[in-house]
Amino acid sequence: MNNVRALAAKTVQDVAYRGRSLSTQLPPILAQCKPRDKGLLQALCYGALRYHFRLKKILQLQMSKPLKTKDSDIESLLIVGLYQLIYMRTPGHAAVSEAVTATQALKKGWAKGLVNGVLRNCQRNLDTLQAQADTHYSSQYAHPEWLIKKLQRAWPEQWQEVLEANNQHPPMTLRINTQHHTPESYQQQLLKLQIPATLHPHSQAALTLEQPQDVAQLPGFTDGWLSVQDSAAQLAAQLLDTQASERVLDACAAPGGKSCHILERQPQLKTLVAIDSDATRLARVEENLQRLKLSATLHCADASDPSSWWNGEQFERILLDAPCSATGVIRRHPDIKLLRKESDIDELVRVQQRILEALWPLLKVGGRLLYATCSLLPSENSDQLSQFLARHPEAKEHIIAADWGVSCTVGRQILTGEAGMDGFYYGCIEKSA
């Protein structure tokens, strides 16, 4: 099958109705697609998932009864068609006729009339339908209701900005390997190629491109001059502030961007140990290290069970980029809105606590543990560290003095969109005894 709308509908169906992630579903689908159609397919999938809650509500207003579960591919096709009608410059008649044609590719020719009728009615009454749908926050901001409520409670003054930022396309940010170039000198190289980029106000190695580029075509990519990494994620290595001859642990390291950045900033470390429980993802850490010509000790292991991988020698620095709800990176992964459930949060908090407690004995007295998540929820962030400090009198907060983020009871929270950054939390604790 190579019909773009049908491929997009199948991908949206896999995410929305089968709980599969876009990052695993899309690459094999793109491989089936003609080169000229790949950009469109990607745009349709991301867009239909980004606005899924709104598009589905509009569809419900238009349909007298929902489609059966076995026809969720047709519902997904209608959502893809509706996305084109509202958010893309596709002429209305083309969006409708292409969706009708796609019913054949889905082997559901019976749905031709249904798809044609529903989309044409939507097209005729679009303003009214959107106004009716947007009386609910879930439709207006295209987010699940439970997440909106949590963000309202956590960030009563900023929640609307956060939701709007989540629906924006994220910028493409580079991390310049300062072993090769300064960000300023690489910026000049890009300018000669008419690729404008700006230095970041908070991340010392970051350059944000005005327009996304094929990273493989950028000067020196294969030679390890640069990597792609959001500027908020780049703050981890700065905050860890590693020194020569230190032993450093990067727990939950995959895909390895922070490990590599730590080594780029401080090539004189005694060692960097990077662990991750997912062998496939750990292989990506190895690939990144090889491209950047860096080395680290890798373990495929559970961070919450050091007995399976730790050699007994303590670390001066530990980075715990903890498993989390990823509510700060929704703009990059819009499928999170559909895949993450409210009931996941308590379990994630328990996992984070378990890893924190397991890693704490591995830190030397006087050492520093940097706790990070790409979550916007205090229960995973400042509340988590407040409770940890209450349980451990030998732990004290190392205050992060910074002009970015929001100061929390412990640590700092970057809200999505601030200075173009992803939503990220950082809290730093030291061992005093």
Side-chain angles (χ1 to χ4, degrees):
M1 180 167 70
N2 58 14
N3 181 290
V4 179
R5 277 79 182 174
L7 288 171
K10 295 293 283 182
T11 308
V12 170
Q13 179 192 30
D14 283 342
V15 173
Y17 298 93
R18 295 169 178 161
R20 297 172 186 161
S21 77
L22 185 58
S23 61
T24 57
Q25 293 306 113
L26 191 55
I29 298 284
L30 280 171
Q32 296 180 37
C33 196
K34 294 174 185 169
R36 69 176 186 211
D37 291 334
K38 289 186 179 186
L40 174 60
L41 175 59
Q42 203 153 338
L44 291 174
C45 292
Y46 273 83
L49 293 171
R50 182 169 284 126
Y51 291 102
H52 197 273
F53 283 87
R54 185 165 192 258
L55 297 169
K56 186 164 180 174
K57 182 66 182 174
I58 292 171
L59 211 53
Q60 286 170 342
L61 290 170
Q62 184 56 48
M63 297 180 72
S64 56
K65 60 179 182 180
L67 286 163
K68 294 175 181 170
T69 306
K70 66 176 184 174
D71 296 320
S72 56
D73 52 350
I74 295 299
E75 184 179 292
S76 299
L77 179 63
L78 286 166
I79 284 174
V80 168
L82 202 47
Y83 172 71
Q84 284 191 279
L85 284 176
I86 298 176
Y87 295 103
M88 296 183 81
R89 293 180 181 173
T90 315
H93 67 275
V96 175
S97 68
E98 292 290 349
V100 170
T101 302
T103 58
Q104 296 284 15
L106 293 171
K107 296 186 172 42
K108 292 196 172 175
W110 60 264
K112 270 184 174 180
L114 172 76
V115 169
N116 185 58
V118 169
L119 287 182
R120 287 205 185 283
N121 281 337
C122 286
Q123 187 185 4
R124 277 193 291 270
N125 304 306
L126 212 46
D127 290 344
T128 306
L129 289 169
Q130 289 184 91
Q132 285 178 337
D134 289 350
T135 55
H136 300 273
Y137 281 151
S138 181
S139 169
Q140 184 181 352
Y141 294 106
H143 278 67
E145 198 75 42
W146 69 268
L147 181 55
I148 294 174
K149 287 179 180 172
K150 280 190 180 295
L151 291 173
Q152 283 175 321
R153 281 197 293 274
W155 309 106
E157 294 178 7
Q158 302 102 330
W159 66 274
Q160 288 156 306
E161 285 175 37
V162 168
L163 295 173
E164 285 166 358
N166 282 348
N167 289 335
Q168 302 302 310
H169 290 266
M172 181 174 174
T173 302
L174 308 179
R175 185 187 77 236
I176 307 305
N177 184 346
T178 49
Q179 297 298 312
H180 293 282
H181 293 280
T182 64
E184 290 82 0
S185 65
Y186 194 77
Q187 181 189 34
Q188 291 307 311
Q189 288 206 33
L190 291 180
L191 268 180
K192 288 175 187 169
L193 299 170
Q194 299 186 319
I195 303 175
T198 53
L199 299 167
H200 196 272
H202 307 305
S203 296
Q204 296 165 356
L207 270 183
T208 302
L209 301 181
E210 206 166 276
Q211 295 293 330
Q213 305 286 329
D214 178 356
V215 68
Q217 302 302 316
L218 293 175
F221 176 73
T222 53
D223 295 322
W225 293 3
L226 67 135
S227 302
V228 177
Q229 187 179 39
D230 185 78
S231 39
Q234 294 187 38
L235 293 172
Q238 285 176 217
L239 293 171
L240 208 57
D241 190 28
T242 52
Q243 307 296 315
S245 303
E246 286 184 339
R247 272 174 58 78
V248 178
L249 171 65
D250 184 0
C252 313
K258 297 183 185 70
S259 287
C260 293
H261 194 194
I262 291 166
L263 290 164
E264 288 168 8
R265 281 179 60 92
Q266 181 47 269
Q268 302 302 318
L269 290 181
K270 183 176 180 182
T271 187
L272 185 138
V273 177
I275 64 173
D276 203 276
S277 59
D278 186 322
T280 305
R281 282 168 53 79
L282 194 67
R284 290 190 58 200
V285 180
E286 180 66 45
E287 288 169 14
N288 282 322
L289 287 165
Q290 285 180 4
R291 183 179 63 81
L292 294 161
K293 300 177 180 60
L294 301 168
S295 69
T297 303
L298 305 186
H299 293 295
C300 183
D302 180 355
S304 68
D305 180 21
S307 65
S308 67
W309 54 268
W310 184 43
N311 67 2
E313 191 177 352
Q314 289 180 308
F315 297 92
E316 281 88 1
R317 294 284 190 273
I318 294 176
L319 170 61
L320 171 52
D321 189 2
C324 71
S325 61
T327 41
V329 291
I330 284 175
R331 58 184 189 164
R332 295 185 192 277
H333 305 282
D335 52 337
I336 290 170
K337 295 182 191 178
L338 291 141
L339 300 177
R340 188 68 68 215
K341 307 297 178 202
E342 184 174 13
S343 55
D344 296 339
I345 305 303
D346 287 347
E347 177 56 23
L348 284 165
V349 169
R350 283 192 286 274
V351 169
Q352 292 153 4
Q353 181 183 338
R354 195 161 62 240
I355 300 175
L356 257 175
E357 293 292 347
L359 295 182
W360 185 241
L362 278 58
L363 187 69
K364 272 188 176 177
V365 172
R368 185 178 297 175
L369 185 150
L370 182 66
Y371 177 85
T373 75
C374 54
S375 167
L376 302 174
L377 305 179
S379 59
E380 300 182 81
N381 298 332
S382 53
D383 293 353
Q384 181 73 267
L385 285 197
S386 293
Q387 290 160 18
F388 182 85
L389 290 170
R391 292 192 300 271
H392 291 272
E394 78 284 11
K396 65 175 183 179
E397 182 184 8
H398 173 83
I399 303 291
I400 297 172
D403 57 357
W404 48 260
V406 179
S407 178
C408 305
T409 48
V410 180
R412 297 187 78 83
Q413 177 75 57
I414 300 166
L415 296 174
T416 311
E418 178 187 343
M421 295 188 281
D422 284 344
F424 237 84
Y425 170 83
Y426 287 108
C428 198
I429 49 181
E430 291 180 338
K431 186 180 275 189
S432 58

